[in-house]
Each structure stands twice: as C-alpha cells, then as structure tokens.
Amino acid sequence: MSEYKVVEIFESINGEGMKAGELAVFVRLAFCNLRCSYCDTMWACMPDAPFKIMTEEEIAEIIFRSGINNVTLTGGEPLNQPDIDILLKKLIEKENINIEIETNGSIDVAPYRISDRITFTLDYKLPGSKMEEHMELKNFEYISPSDTVKFVISDQDDLEKSYEILEKYNLPNRCNCIYSPVFGQIEPVEIVENMKQKNLNKVRFQLQLHKFIWDPEKRGV
C-alpha cells in the first residue's frame, strides 16, 4: 500500500467549480510547489504543515462510508504526492464516485487521465499570483470538455491576461472556464463588467460560496 500526507478530510459543499453547491468529500493533501500571493491555504502548503499519514485504503474507507459521490482532491497540490495514481485507481473502484482534482496548473495532468470519472480543475496562474512562469502550458493541448480552467483574478491586468489565454487556446469552446475574484482584492462588479465588454458568453463568473457561508478563515469547510 502507498502512503499519503493528509492534512484533513471533511464533508462539505463544493464552494466553487462546476459542481458548486453540491456535497463533496474533500481530501486536502499537504505541501505545494508554488507560493501564490493570494493563497488561502498556505498553512497546508508549508514544509511544517500538520498532516497524518494515511494509506489509499484508509482514505477510501472514509469516502465510501460517507455516502457522498463527489470527491475533491485538493491541497496544497495533490499531484505533488507520490503514487497519487494509486489512490485514484482505488477510488474509482466504486462505480458512483466522481473525482475532481484541483491542481495549480504547473504539473502535467496527462498521467492521471485514467477514467472519465476523473476531472481536472486547472488553475492558470495570472500575473497577480506571482507564479505565472510556472504554468505547464502543454496541459492546454489535451484539455477535455469535462475539465475546467479557473482564472483567479486580482486586478485589471489579470483580466487582460486571462482574455489573452482564453483566446490563444480557444478555451471557451474546449472546456469549462471560470473567473473568480481574489477575495477582498477586486470588486466582483469589475470582473462582470469586463466579461460584458468582451462578450465572454462561455465564461462563468463565480464567488467562493464557502467564504460566505462560513468565516473566510475557517478550516474544514
């Protein structure tokens, strides 16, 4: 069996993404290879992050026992974990389980496309994140209609760069696309107005629901 560094496992609703508002079991894995300026889970990304070593069997048991069909692997950066493919194969043994992998866009996702019940919410880190140079652009070559590219927007410069990427890779016609504001840094109306100006008919604006339901700093939600 393999071992994984698990920061927390909890049941909640998806606060964002294409399954926003739906129940999910979240598996938050430790550590991240990026340090985004606006990261809201930095505590889980650091070398001294608290974690529990768990096997794929232990993780799967908790998920299967919950009775919830949606699973979100998040972090940190879940694809940093060795043997993450083994965990994925274990989870898809159960026929009604659907897995979303929230990944930061810096890692090739191709090796983990092992089932049509695994989808990716792939960040494109814009200039405001200070991490744009780390993006793995070849992910855009084989992105699928069930995947999502998410742009977390800090300011007007980020809006302009996101539009450039949407157009360059024809993303709105190839996958789901989401605009989400950096909480507290840009007014949502600025993003919506920009979407109107550019006729972004196939881009979805989204707020992080969990930050309105619970305290924005609360963990395990």
Side-chain angles (χ1 to χ4, degrees), residues 5 30-32 35 42-51:
K5 296 175 180 179
F31 311 143
C32 185
R35 292 292 181 268
M42 188 64 75
W43 58 274
C45 300
M46 305 303 289
D48 60 350
F51 62 82

Side-chain angles (χ1 to χ4, degrees), residues 6-59:
V6 179
V7 173
E8 57 182 352
I9 300 180
F10 59 94
E11 300 173 11
S12 188
I13 60 162
N14 267 304
E16 54 193 323
M18 297 307 294
K19 293 190 176 183
E22 295 184 19
L23 287 174
V25 179
F26 288 80
V27 180
R28 187 180 304 284
L29 298 162
F31 311 143
C32 185
N33 58 314
L34 301 185
R35 292 292 181 268
C36 297
S37 62
Y38 49 71
C39 182
D40 56 6
T41 54
M42 188 64 75
W43 58 274
C45 300
M46 305 303 289
D48 60 350
F51 62 82
K52 178 181 180 181
I53 296 293
M54 300 181 70
T55 67
E56 69 271 20
E57 298 285 346
E58 292 170 326
I59 295 170

